[in-house]
Amino acid sequence: MSTSDPSKLISKADKLTKLSLTRWSADWKSATVLYEQAANGFRVARNYEKAKLAFEKASQGQEMLSSPWDAAKHMESAAALAKELRNWAEVIDFYRKASELYMQCDRPQPASDALAKGARALEDALPDDAIQLYTDACVILEDDGKEQMAFDLYRAATSVYVKLEKYTDAAAFLLRLGLAADKCNARNSQCKAYLSAIIVYLYAHDLKQAEKCYNDCSQIDAFLGSDQNRCASKLLSAYTEGDVEEIKRVAQSSAISNLDNVIIKLARKLP
Amino acid sequence: MTVIDLITRVDAICKKYEKYDIDKHKEANVTGDDAFARLYGVVESEIDAALQKSEAAATEKSRATAVAMNAEIRRTKARLLEELPKLQRLALKKVKGLSREELEARNDLVYSLKDRIEAIPDGSTAAAKQSGGVSGGWAASSSYTGIKIDSSSEEAFESEYFQQTEESDRFRQEYEMRRMKQDQGLEVIAEGLDTLKNMAHDMNEEIDRQMPLMDEIDEKVDRAASDLKNTNVRLKDTVNQLRSSRNFCIDIILLCIILGIAAYLYNVLK
């Protein structure tokens, strides 16, 4: 059966699902099976448009069969194909739908994974939507109490913000990352997040904000006794003195080189 | 004439002219009741010894021995200066057999003695001057002389100092270079340790992150394993039931009957 023409399979499946005089209830089970086969066939034939359609229909079928897990899986495949076709609106749609279906299965982690995949696909094309997806993914994880997984998402979102040159938002995200790290006792990540936030503020030439941020962070014991704290204080003092050499030297130091790549680039470009 | 004869003749001549021997008289004087003369003799001999030692120290090549000798000279000087007040008191005492001029001469002798003591070079004459000024009641004169001699001794000090650095300059340079190299090496090590520390922290956090995941996996795998075991047991039961010999025999008998009937019909219809 799998060797037969996928379009034929699709038409057969369509016939099975369409309600007519001879058919009082759609036969979703066999239809879904046929849709899946057709979709695989199309994918192998690299007919992405039709494959996407087939996956959509398969997912719908699985939903009707009350198996949201399979439905979500098909949705994700459809979304991946939509990404190939660069149909961004559909990408967003599909990934969101997949994530909802995962939540229906009570599996928040794949849900946020789906959103993260969507966001990554959209980073270049629609950065704002990407950020939205990242935020939603982080919210899902935080609700579940698994902030540790959110670290990567926060970092990715920050890099998108930095690319968009929205530095205050980037710094805000970094502070959220610090908060999440605090909840998990991930001290190193927390201190790195705060140091990155200070650097972002300095890059935006916002010395007052950077100092305020530094004061806020100094309230936290974990940050106070860390390497990153010393580095931040050195940086701020170099800034207040206007000593370019000192700034460059601090930026070359090892504490900063351990941060995210995007932040390192900002630090090197500092004054 | 043999040597022994010569020696005896010399001894005889010496004894004859003993009264012209000034040194012996001096010694005789010293061993007499005159405490002043005794002390004076002692001090003078010690000054001579100190002078000799200072000359030896000046020509000494090794800095360490020179410094040690200078320290000894300084100690001797300090001791002598301490004894000077005693000498002065003794000088004022009237001793029988001594004229008034000699008494006054003794006072002057004591003063000059002090100058001679302090003039002994010991490598740090300025410090000696000050210590001399502290002991005894010579404050006024010593401070005056102190000012005068201070400048000259400083010059002497400096020239001596310069000599030292010329000798140990190379050593100091080497020491500085080695220290710089050590600093550089330590910096490299510090940076490497920083990187290690960061990696270790990240690994720590990663492992913390994966621990609950592993726990979940563990649980799920346990559940799946128990499910499989159950299913296996049930399957075994079912297959056993199917394969029970009674059913098998019945199947074979019925099959034979059907074959027999078929053969019969075949024969009949042929």
Side-chain angles (χ1 to χ4, degrees), chain A residues 107 109 146 148-149 151-152 155 184-190 192 227-228 252 254-255 258-259, chain B residues 190-191 194-202 204-213 216 220:
Chain A
R107 307 279 283 273
Q109 222 168 318
K146 288 208 171 40
Q148 295 226 328
M149 315 291 161
F151 288 173
D152 293 322
R155 276 200 278 264
C184 327
N185 281 333
R187 231 163 256 131
N188 202 24
S189 290
Q190 189 185 9
K192 284 204 280 199
D227 258 348
Q228 280 87 2
Q252 299 291 336
S254 58
N258 287 332
L259 300 174
Chain B
E191 240 172 88
D194 256 333
T195 318
L196 268 179
K197 178 176 129 175
N198 186 58
M199 284 205 281
H201 269 293
D202 285 341
N204 188 21
E205 282 178 11
E206 195 59 44
I207 290 184
D208 279 339
R209 209 193 295 192
Q210 299 194 346
M211 230 177 51
L213 295 177
E216 263 187 53
K220 287 195 184 157

Side-chain angles (χ1 to χ4, degrees), chain B residues 76-173:
Chain B
T76 336
K77 276 168 71 173
R79 206 166 15 98
L80 291 174
L81 285 168
E82 272 175 23
E83 303 211 343
L84 272 180
K86 227 192 301 176
L87 204 57
Q88 204 189 20
R89 262 179 283 132
L90 283 171
L92 294 173
K93 249 204 253 166
K94 276 222 176 126
V95 182
K96 66 172 175 185
L98 221 52
S99 60
R100 200 179 300 157
E101 293 96 22
E102 242 186 70
L103 208 57
E104 286 172 14
R106 281 194 173 175
N107 237 338
D108 292 329
L109 274 171
V110 174
Y111 277 120
S112 68
L113 208 55
K114 183 180 179 304
D115 285 333
R116 276 173 66 193
I117 292 177
E118 292 183 352
I120 300 176
D122 63 355
S124 59
T125 36
K129 287 282 169 271
Q130 289 166 20
S131 69
V134 167
S135 65
W138 315 78
S141 61
S142 78
S143 59
Y144 173 71
T145 46
I147 293 171
K148 199 168 60 163
I149 295 172
D150 243 358
S151 48
S152 71
S153 76
E154 235 179 53
E155 283 174 22
F157 198 62
E158 266 179 41
S159 62
E160 247 177 61
Y161 196 65
F162 218 46
Q163 210 178 25
Q164 288 178 24
T165 50
E166 269 180 32
E167 281 180 9
S168 54
D169 213 6
R170 220 182 333 123
F171 188 69
R172 183 163 295 153
Q173 259 183 359

Side-chain angles (χ1 to χ4, degrees), chain A residues 5-18 35 38:
Chain A
D5 192 15
S7 26
K8 273 212 210 104
L9 290 171
I10 283 218
S11 41
K12 216 197 278 189
D14 277 335
K15 261 187 273 180
L16 282 173
T17 54
K18 230 184 291 266
Y35 277 133

Side-chain angles (χ1 to χ4, degrees), chain A:
Chain A
M1 263 288 236
S2 55
T3 52
S4 62
D5 192 15
S7 26
K8 273 212 210 104
L9 290 171
I10 283 218
S11 41
K12 216 197 278 189
D14 277 335
K15 261 187 273 180
L16 282 173
T17 54
K18 230 184 291 266
L19 294 169
S20 60
L21 284 171
T22 52
R23 200 181 285 282
W24 294 92
S25 63
D27 183 12
W28 281 111
K29 222 190 309 190
S30 37
T32 316
V33 170
L34 290 170
Y35 277 133
E36 279 174 23
Q37 282 169 354
N40 282 331
F42 276 131
R43 196 172 28 185
V44 165
R46 292 179 191 270
N47 192 337
Y48 291 134
E49 185 66 51
K50 292 246 173 76
K52 183 168 60 86
L53 263 171
F55 269 124
E56 256 183 278
K57 298 231 179 91
S59 154
Q60 206 183 6
Q62 293 285 9
E63 239 187 286
M64 295 295 171
L65 294 175
S66 350
S67 61
W69 179 259
D70 293 312
K73 277 230 131 57
H74 289 314
M75 252 318 150
E76 261 196 78
S77 329
L81 292 167
K83 187 173 70 164
E84 298 282 326
L85 293 170
R86 299 180 180 281
N87 195 337
W88 303 123
E90 285 201 350
V91 166
I92 302 179
D93 234 358
F94 289 161
Y95 271 124
R96 272 198 196 278
K97 205 133 181 269
S99 137
E100 276 165 23
L101 288 164
Y102 278 128
M103 289 300 280
Q104 269 182 24
C105 304
D106 264 342
R107 307 279 283 273
Q109 222 168 318
S112 86
D113 276 343
L115 287 177
K117 267 190 255 182
R120 212 165 300 139
L122 291 173
E123 254 176 22
D124 295 318
L126 294 168
D128 295 313
D129 290 308
I131 289 183
Q132 190 61 34
L133 287 171
Y134 272 130
T135 329
D136 293 336
C138 297
V139 164
I140 292 180
L141 283 174
E142 278 178 3
D143 285 336
D144 193 38
K146 288 208 171 40
E147 291 89 4
Q148 295 226 328
M149 315 291 161
F151 288 173
D152 293 322
L153 296 174
Y154 277 128
R155 276 200 278 264
T158 332
S159 66
V160 172
Y161 267 131
V162 165
K163 251 196 290 185
L164 294 175
E165 306 207 350
K166 288 206 185 125
Y167 295 119
T168 34
D169 292 323
F173 248 73
L174 283 166
L175 292 173
R176 271 175 77 177
L177 172 55
L179 185 62
D182 192 37
K183 263 192 265 175
C184 327
N185 281 333
R187 231 163 256 131
N188 202 24
S189 290
Q190 189 185 9
C191 301
K192 284 204 280 199
Y194 289 142
L195 184 57
S196 317
I198 294 177
I199 291 180
V200 164
Y201 275 133
L202 284 176
Y203 190 74
H205 300 293
D206 204 348
L207 186 59
K208 265 198 279 287
Q209 195 71 355
E211 283 190 4
K212 206 160 45 117
C213 185
Y214 177 68
N215 287 336
D216 289 335
C217 302
S218 312
Q219 310 277 342
I220 301 172
D221 296 327
F223 184 66
L224 203 52
S226 76
D227 258 348
Q228 280 87 2
N229 186 16
R230 276 197 290 276
C231 187
S233 66
K234 265 195 277 188
L235 202 53
L236 281 172
S237 62
Y239 246 90
T240 44
E241 287 170 18
D243 189 355
V244 180
E245 281 305 312
E246 178 69 30
I247 295 176
K248 288 226 190 298
R249 216 174 329 135
V250 174
Q252 299 291 336
S253 78
S254 58
I256 293 200
S257 315
N258 287 332
L259 300 174
D260 221 9
N261 274 328
V262 180
I263 311 286
I264 297 181
K265 269 188 273 192
L266 287 185
R268 299 272 156 87
K269 282 195 260 175
L270 251 184

